[in-house]
């Protein structure tokens, strides 16, 4: 007798880090070494990420959010400066501007890449625009080349939020290689993880020095311990996290192959349905997916679907909730529904499915079956 689906008893996580023997080996090496902070693993990790992004300098820090804040500060963005950015992102990409009392000027996105629409930059430009902060969403490149050249022509800085973009490239150029600074993040759901952690990369040694000082309590780069030359923070990354990062960088290709396999299995199981849009790379792009986010037909009630899938043991999640509609952005800036229509339409239709390098083909098949069953029948959620 077939067991009812609820009792199958599998727990499929929405995301899952991929930690192997090499990670255990290197982290253990740190723990046995007595050097738990500011040691050689941090330097190795910085060099590894800088190389992946094709940059000269890497500055490891305690989170992607800390990295964005370091970039904003090092570039001299101050109170009242305006920065063009996207409302379809994780809240940190706009919060890093608020930390400095700069003003985010949101620019709506294009449906294809889900990044800022370069054609809308001119209309959003004001007398105090100083920089642009584009975000690569879900691992897919935004229109970074067009955004970059628009900003360069005006002498603006570019802060590239590549927190979801490690390992992806456009026209052969890695994400993270475009901005004056670019930021990666290593929370456990990202392409590689350090637990908590982030990295700013740049080609400018002066900016890198400033960010190293800022992350280390404003100490001078000569390292004099109790001399502080600027207001700084404790945004350092510890050595256990850095060792985890070094091992994950070594295994990046392997992890990526796993994600590519899972994305292909979803494509196979879910392709060709008119109520479902699957994530695709654009022309000239090579994408290492961070999450697997599908787009539902507008007539499907997404939030009901999330509850129904959860009851059947399949976690899923809307991705993202627009930043401008977050309660404190609404009260700070007076944003309201309708302000950024493409962002809002996309946000209402997205569904992140379970995704990680270690998800089995069998689990992908199960997720697909449950999803199809919940929607694709007369009288169900679909039309
Ligand atoms: C994950 C993420 C961040 C911040 O990362 P944390 O390490 O969690 O601080 C910033 N921007 C985007 C787009 C992200 O996905």
């Amino acid at each position: 007798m077939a067991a009812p689906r609820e009792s199958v008893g599998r727990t499929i996580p929405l995301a899952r880090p991929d930690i192997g023997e090499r990670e255990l080996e290197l982290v253990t090496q740190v723990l046995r070494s007595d050097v738990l902070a500011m040691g050689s693993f941090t330097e190795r990790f910085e060099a590894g990420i800088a190389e992946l992004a094709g940059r000269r300098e890497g500055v490891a820090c305690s989170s992607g959010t800390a990295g964005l804040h370091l970039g904003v500060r090092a570039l001299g963005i101050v109170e009242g400066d305006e920065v063009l950015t996207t409302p379809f992102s994780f809240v940190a990409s706009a919060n890093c501007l608020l930390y400095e009392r700069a003003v985010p000027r949101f620019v709506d996105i294009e449906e294809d890449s889900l990044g800022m629409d370069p054609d809308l930059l001119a209309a959003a430009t004001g007398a105090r625009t100083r920089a642009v902060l584009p975000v690569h969403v879900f691992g897919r490149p935004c229109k970074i080349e067009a955004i970059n050249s628009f900003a360069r022509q005006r002498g603006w800085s570019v802060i590239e939020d590549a927190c979801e973009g490690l390992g992806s490239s456009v026209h052969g150029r890695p994400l993270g290689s475009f901005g004056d600074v670019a930021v990666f993040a290593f929370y456990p759901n990202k392409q590689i993880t350090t637990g908590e952690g982030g990295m700013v990369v740049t080609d400018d040694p002066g900016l890198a020095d400033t960010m190293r000082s800022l992350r280390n309590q404003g100490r001078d780069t000569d390292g004099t311990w109790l001399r502080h030359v600027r207001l700084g923070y404790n945004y350092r990354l510890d050595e256990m996290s850095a060792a985890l990062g070094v091992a994950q960088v070594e295994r990046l290709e392997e992890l990526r192959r796993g994600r590519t396999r899972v994305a292909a299995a979803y494509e196979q199981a879910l392709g060709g349905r008119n109520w479902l849009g699957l994530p695709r790379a654009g022309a000239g792009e090579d994408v290492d997916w961070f999450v697997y986010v599908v787009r539902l037909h507008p007539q499907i009630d997404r939030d009901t679907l999330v509850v129904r899938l959860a009851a059947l043991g399949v976690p899923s999640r809307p991705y993202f909730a627009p930043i401008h509609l977050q309660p404190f952005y609404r009260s700070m800036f007076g944003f309201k529904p309708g302000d950024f229509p493409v962002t809002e339409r996309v946000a209402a239709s997205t569904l992140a499915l379970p995704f990680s390098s270690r998800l089995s083909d069998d689990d992908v098949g199960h997720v697909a079956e449950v999803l199809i069953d919940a929607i694709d029948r007369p009288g169900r959620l679909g039309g």
Side-chain angles (χ1 to χ4, degrees), residues 35-311:
V35 183
L36 305 190
M38 299 186 43
S40 63
F41 276 104
T42 300
E43 286 169 20
R44 278 168 70 182
F45 186 43
E46 291 179 336
I49 295 292
E51 189 187 340
L52 281 173
R55 308 303 296 249
R56 290 174 62 178
E57 304 270 357
V59 179
C61 52
S62 52
S63 70
T65 307
L68 288 165
H69 187 204
L70 288 175
V72 166
R73 261 201 92 97
L75 288 166
I77 290 161
V78 297
E79 179 161 7
D81 286 346
E82 295 186 1
V83 179
L84 308 188
T85 190
T86 168
F88 190 69
S89 176
F90 183 58
V91 71
S93 64
N95 283 353
C96 66
L97 303 169
L98 302 188
Y99 297 157
E100 296 303 319
R101 299 181 189 279
V103 181
R105 284 276 173 242
F106 290 121
V107 174
D108 211 350
I109 59 171
E110 32 150 57
E111 294 245 22
D112 185 34
S113 71
L114 305 182
M116 298 167 78
D117 186 340
D119 293 339
L120 301 178
L121 293 175
T125 299
R128 292 212 58 181
T129 309
R130 287 276 326 273
V132 58
L133 196 161
V135 180
H136 306 292
V137 169
F138 307 153
R140 173 128 188 231
C142 68
K143 292 287 180 297
I144 187 69
E145 291 150 314
I147 293 166
N148 228 15
S149 68
F150 188 94
R152 302 291 176 212
Q153 279 160 25
R154 285 156 187 80
W156 300 345
S157 303
V158 177
I159 301 152
E160 182 186 358
D161 183 337
C163 289
E164 302 187 358
L166 184 73
S168 295
S169 62
V170 56
H171 299 129
R173 210 175 141 177
L175 301 191
S177 70
F178 291 92
D180 295 284
V181 298
V183 182
F184 295 105
F186 310 114
Y187 190 73
N189 67 343
K190 310 273 172 170
Q191 283 94 338
I192 68 168
T193 187
T194 58
E196 298 281 1
M199 181 86 65
V200 195
V201 293
T202 180
D203 291 323
D204 182 332
L207 276 179
D209 276 352
T210 303
M211 293 190 289
R212 289 200 174 96
S213 169
L214 286 168
R215 82 170 165 187
N216 190 20
Q217 307 284 15
R219 291 184 174 101
D220 218 342
T221 38
D222 72 7
T224 308
W225 195 247
L226 286 178
R227 195 160 62 96
H228 305 272
V229 295
R230 54 170 64 79
L231 174 65
Y233 309 89
N234 180 354
Y235 282 170
R236 297 181 303 255
L237 187 71
D238 64 78
E239 282 285 285
M240 289 74 75
S241 300
L244 193 48
V246 168
Q248 292 260 288
V249 168
E250 285 178 11
R251 293 182 56 226
L252 179 59
E253 276 312 308
E254 177 197 341
L255 304 188
R256 183 196 179 109
R257 276 196 299 278
R259 286 187 286 268
T260 303
R261 172 186 56 76
V262 172
Y266 271 128
E267 181 89 33
Q268 175 85 22
L270 292 172
R273 288 182 168 73
N274 58 11
W275 49 264
L276 197 63
L278 301 182
R280 296 262 153 71
E285 298 173 359
D286 191 10
V287 176
D288 186 354
W289 295 105
F290 152 62
V291 281
Y292 196 81
V293 177
V294 299
R295 298 272 306 279
L296 300 167
H297 189 281
Q299 274 166 6
I300 296 173
D301 179 346
R302 191 260 323 267
D303 296 340
T304 303
L305 178 61
V306 168
V307 172
R308 193 172 289 185
L309 293 176

